Amino acid sequence: KAGVTQTPRYLIKTRGQQVTLSCSPISGHRSVSWYQQTPGQGLQFLFEYFSETQRNKGNFPGRFSGRQFSNSRSEMNVSTLELGDSALYLCASSFEGQGQETQYFGPGTRLLVL
Amino acid sequence: AQSVTQLDSQVPVFEEAPVELRCNYSSSVSVYLFWYVQYPNQGLQLLLKYLSGSTLVKGINGFEAEFNKSQTSFHLRKPSVHISDTAEYFCAVSRAGASKIIFGSGTRLSIRP
């Protein structure tokens, strides 16, 4: 099976712009979670989508949003980018998103905001 | 709420020496415990997980961890490290029915030849 894929791998934007990141889960997986990784804050949970519905949300401002399509692919969007949004964005997929399941992570999208 | 503390931000060891990476957690409910590894410029890979049962968990690449409920710890060990083990290691928790993983701050393992 192919692993979790994320596109693009690298992205450079300027403050005020918006960005959309994409994540394709492992085939058959219906849960997709997003995490932000920064040197200062570490790995933080953004949100989780399951069957096209946001099921869980972390403590991030409304500028961060996401969606999931019927094929389980997910996108996350960040509007009005700030310098502090520079980070590695990781997505992870699992079959049903239950706590005991192994979550499989993609390689990440590295976003640099100038 | 759950939280995870990784006591060492960096651990340098010599090749073929044993290593222990420390992790403590706190939670008011039962949790599942994980160790993930992140190699440079890559995503996270699961090393091992504790769900229930035997407190000694064996994972990939020769790593193992021991769940200690009384000390709320889940330390990761390897008897003999290799240069290829150079990476950042994250301890993490989740709870039943929830996909959200709470990660520790990470421990950077550097192996000296």
Side-chain angles (χ1 to χ4, degrees), chain A residues 101-105, chain B residues 33-37 44-49 60:
Chain A
E101 292 182 67
T102 296
Q103 291 201 28
Y104 296 86
F105 283 80
Chain B
L33 295 158
F34 307 83
W35 275 98
Y36 283 86
V37 60
L44 298 167
Q45 181 183 8
L46 181 70
L47 277 177
L48 49 79
K49 62 182 177 183
I60 62 171

Side-chain angles (χ1 to χ4, degrees), chain B residues 46-111:
Chain B
L46 181 70
L47 277 177
L48 49 79
K49 62 182 177 183
Y50 173 78
L51 303 181
S52 64
S54 173
T55 57
L56 184 63
V57 181
K58 293 191 183 295
I60 62 171
N61 301 342
F63 284 93
E64 64 180 33
E66 184 151 20
F67 170 64
N68 187 319
K69 189 173 181 179
S70 63
Q71 296 186 7
T72 61
S73 67
F74 190 55
H75 301 333
L76 181 71
R77 292 191 284 261
K78 186 169 183 178
S80 175
V81 295
H82 189 264
I83 289 285
S84 60
D85 293 323
T86 298
E88 190 151 21
Y89 293 79
F90 293 92
C91 182
V93 300
S94 70
R95 59 178 177 82
S99 61
K100 176 180 178 179
I101 300 175
I102 297 170
F103 288 91
S105 55
T107 297
R108 194 171 298 275
L109 178 62
S110 60
I111 313 293

Side-chain angles (χ1 to χ4, degrees), chain A residues 27-49:
Chain A
S27 177
H29 285 188
R30 296 187 294 167
S31 168
V32 175
S33 296
W34 288 89
Y35 292 83
Q36 181 195 63
Q37 185 177 22
T38 60
Q41 300 298 317
L43 280 153
Q44 293 184 287
F45 175 79
L46 280 156
F47 30 64
E48 183 227 358
Y49 284 86

Side-chain angles (χ1 to χ4, degrees), chain A residues 2-7 9 22-26 34 73 91 105-108:
Chain A
V4 178
T5 58
Q6 292 186 245
T7 57
R9 291 292 311 277
S22 180
C23 172
S24 292
I26 290 172
W34 288 89
R73 189 177 70 85
C91 83
F105 283 80

